Amino acid sequence: MRISLSKIRESLFHNRILAGNLAGVFVFKGLGMLLSLVSMPLYMDYLDNRLVLGAWFTILSVINWIVSFDLGIGNGLRNNLTIALVQKDTLWARKTISSSYGSLGVVSLLLLAIVWLLSIVVDWNAFFNVDETVVPSADFQNVVTITLSGLVISFFLRLITSVNAAIQYPVINNVVTFLTSLLLTLWLLLANPTSDCVANLRTISRAYFVIVNLPLVVVTVITFCLPKLRGCFPRLKYFNWETSRQVLSVGIIYFVLQILFMLIFVTNEWFVSKFFSPDDVVVYQIYNRLFFVLSNVFMLILMPIVAAITKAYAEGRIEWISKMKRLLYLSTALVSAAQLLLVVFLQQIVNFWLSDKAIEVDYSLALIFAFTTIISMWVYMQSAIVTGLNRLRLQLYCYIFAVIFKVSFILVATRFTDCWYVVMLATGLSLLPYCILQPLFLERILKKMKV
């Protein structure tokens, strides 16, 4: 059996790009993990009232809700731009980029108007379950408005991450995340907190407004200067309603999935704060930062793999996708074992990490976090493959079930217990059906593609 030399070269080329992106993820996400751990005690020093600190973490979690929304435009942009570049259709690439930025720009302006309107009519203290004696309503309104406004702007600028994924440079997105974490950590190190914790909360919201957007602006300029995207900077003359509809039609299911993903994964702080106490959010963050370190790294590693699978699918390389699936299964198993190992040494790690602010580890709670993060990683991995193949119907149905189950479980459980860990337990249990069903359907999909 003769092996084509050109096929070997092509395989080495594609794998070299993927390996380079994965190496970049490990480097920058590894540094980002370190900064995440370093920043926690810095936060505890800067906002020394745990109720105020819990409120800040909850605000950031709500911000993640907004960041999750892009109407599916990001995924539609990534898929269309990937195909346009494979086919070397420069005009289609220009129209796709300009139409995506134009559509999301309109949405961002509407969101900004909504944020300012909500700031007038919404009682943020009640929404976040923060007493006015802890943070006065006027101050809390100011903090939420500034922080949300900054995130709406980053919501628009973050579209560059989909462009980088399409051109097979998703590692640049990890540079953005790392720079944001680095700037925030440096600011916490250099800032001089006052004795007024509320004043410190106002200051950190303004700092966050700048820090979260600056790296995105820089990376946007650099990305559109790359040879692959020469002449593709968003321009009004390339905006096209038909192309916008095409991007949205590809992305609409992603939009629905983004809403469901948000309700499953990024509402935990709000549920803990609303049904229990903002003080519990701080404890939640301690466990969450340790257990989701590996999970977040794993999810970011999957970003270049999604783009690579999309490209392989467009080029008909189904066997490569099958091999990648087997490798991802093995990787998920190894990382899951590492999560269980973390439970064994958790108290020692917390003592070293937080020193005099260390908490006593509840190992029942630690096992719940380990269980949920393992389930989450399995979900991320399966989702990466089916997203690359654009086969998302089963995921949609399972996510709908997960949202209904999670909210119902929390509402019922809070009547019988005052332990906030039911929020994490509900998250893990809600995703079990997807973890069982998706591998079976994925195997059938790949077999049909090979025929």
Side-chain angles (χ1 to χ4, degrees):
M1 181 177 176
R2 299 181 64 184
I3 300 175
S4 169
L5 184 61
S6 62
K7 285 187 176 181
I8 294 175
R9 287 175 178 170
E10 182 184 12
S11 177
L12 289 173
F13 173 73
H14 291 304
N15 289 329
R16 187 174 69 248
I17 293 174
L18 181 57
N21 281 316
L22 290 175
V25 169
F26 273 111
V27 171
F28 288 105
K29 190 56 186 176
L31 294 172
M33 282 167 32
L34 181 62
L35 290 174
S36 175
L37 296 176
V38 169
S39 66
M40 186 65 186
L42 295 175
Y43 270 125
M44 297 176 81
D45 285 335
Y46 191 81
L47 298 173
D48 56 5
N49 184 319
R50 280 186 35 166
L51 287 172
V52 176
L53 179 58
W56 173 247
F57 284 144
T58 308
I59 291 171
L60 293 183
S61 77
V62 172
I63 283 168
N64 286 329
W65 303 1
I66 295 176
V67 173
S68 298
F69 285 134
D70 65 0
L71 301 182
I73 293 173
N75 287 289
L77 167 60
R78 190 199 70 231
N79 282 3
N80 277 284
L81 184 56
T82 298
I83 297 170
L85 293 173
V86 167
Q87 296 179 359
K88 295 182 171 53
D89 190 333
T90 304
L91 181 59
W92 185 15
R94 289 172 177 172
K95 286 182 177 180
T96 298
I97 291 172
S98 296
S99 300
S100 299
Y101 269 93
S103 301
L104 195 60
V106 172
V107 173
S108 299
L109 288 174
L110 289 173
L111 271 178
L112 202 57
I114 291 170
V115 165
W116 285 87
L117 177 63
L118 288 177
S119 296
I120 298 173
V121 300
V122 172
D123 183 352
W124 293 113
N125 289 75
F127 183 79
F128 289 104
N129 193 27
V130 176
D131 197 278
E132 290 190 27
T133 59
V134 178
V135 183
S137 59
D139 292 301
F140 208 54
Q141 180 190 61
N142 179 265
V143 167
V144 172
T145 303
I146 290 173
T147 311
L148 288 181
S149 297
L151 262 294
V152 170
I153 296 171
S154 76
F155 162 81
F156 171 74
L157 295 173
R158 202 170 295 275
L159 197 58
I160 195 62
T161 62
S162 297
V163 175
N164 282 318
I167 63 174
Q168 302 290 294
Y169 289 154
V171 66
I172 297 176
N173 303 332
N174 296 289
V175 176
V176 173
T177 304
F178 166 70
L179 289 176
T180 303
S181 299
L182 177 62
L183 290 174
L184 185 58
T185 302
L186 289 174
W187 185 85
L188 287 168
L189 275 170
L190 298 174
N192 292 317
T194 67
S195 57
D196 185 349
C197 198
V198 174
N200 294 337
L201 183 63
R202 290 196 304 268
T203 304
I204 199 172
S205 68
R206 296 184 179 95
Y208 198 84
F209 180 100
V210 176
I211 289 170
V212 78
N213 287 301
L214 184 59
L216 288 168
V217 172
V218 173
V219 168
T220 298
V221 173
I222 293 172
T223 298
F224 283 111
C225 288
L226 295 173
K228 282 187 177 183
L229 294 174
R230 188 167 290 126
C232 288
F233 191 87
R235 295 178 185 176
L236 189 58
K237 71 176 183 177
Y238 291 120
F239 180 86
N240 181 279
W241 285 111
E242 182 60 36
T243 306
S244 293
R245 283 194 293 271
Q246 187 177 16
V247 170
L248 283 168
S249 66
V250 172
I252 191 65
I253 192 168
Y254 293 106
F255 170 57
V256 177
L257 285 170
Q258 282 175 341
I259 297 175
L260 298 171
F261 182 92
M262 174 201 76
L263 293 172
I264 297 166
F265 287 101
V266 298
T267 54
N268 287 341
E269 287 94 337
W270 183 80
F271 277 118
V272 172
S273 179
K274 184 68 177 177
F275 290 99
F276 300 96
S277 168
D279 182 66
D280 293 324
V281 176
V282 178
V283 181
Y284 167 87
Q285 277 288 328
I286 292 172
Y287 284 94
N288 189 64
R289 290 193 180 216
L290 288 172
F291 278 98
F292 274 86
V293 161
L294 284 177
S295 177
N296 290 336
V297 171
F298 190 67
M299 185 166 61
L300 286 172
I301 288 172
L302 292 172
M303 288 178 62
I305 291 175
V306 173
I309 289 174
T310 301
K311 190 170 185 291
Y313 180 49
E315 296 170 346
R317 294 183 288 118
I318 307 303
E319 187 57 40
W320 183 90
I321 297 173
S322 295
K323 290 179 180 178
M324 179 55 64
K325 185 198 74 167
R326 291 193 291 270
L327 179 60
L328 289 174
Y329 280 18
L330 176 61
S331 302
T332 307
L334 292 174
V335 180
S336 298
Q339 290 286 59
L340 293 174
L341 189 62
L342 176 62
V343 176
V344 178
F345 300 101
L346 192 59
Q347 186 65 69
Q348 292 91 328
I349 293 171
V350 169
N351 291 343
F352 176 77
W353 175 32
L354 298 179
S355 188
D356 59 323
K357 297 182 179 66
I359 61 170
E360 184 177 349
V361 170
D362 181 333
Y363 283 95
S364 298
L365 180 56
L367 286 171
I368 291 174
F369 266 87
F371 163 75
T372 302
T373 51
I374 289 170
I375 293 294
S376 299
M377 287 187 294
W378 184 256
V379 169
Y380 298 156
M381 182 268 291
Q382 293 291 329
S383 179
I385 300 172
V386 296
T387 298
L389 297 173
N390 197 24
R391 302 297 179 94
L392 300 167
R393 192 175 299 275
L394 177 65
Q395 185 178 14
L396 176 64
Y397 295 149
C398 288
Y399 273 19
I400 291 172
F401 168 81
V403 169
I404 296 171
F405 178 90
K406 176 176 178 174
V407 175
S408 302
F409 187 94
I410 292 172
L411 290 176
V412 172
T414 51
R415 296 184 178 183
F416 300 99
T417 181
D418 59 355
C419 298
W420 60 265
Y421 60 72
V422 297
V423 175
M424 282 302 292
L425 185 60
T427 303
L429 292 175
S430 69
L431 293 165
L432 279 177
Y434 178 72
C435 293
I436 296 168
L437 294 174
Q438 185 64 82
L440 302 175
F441 279 78
L442 181 58
E443 190 64 29
R444 289 173 56 186
I445 290 169
L446 291 175
K447 281 183 179 178
K448 287 182 180 179
M449 288 180 177
K450 289 178 183 178
V451 175

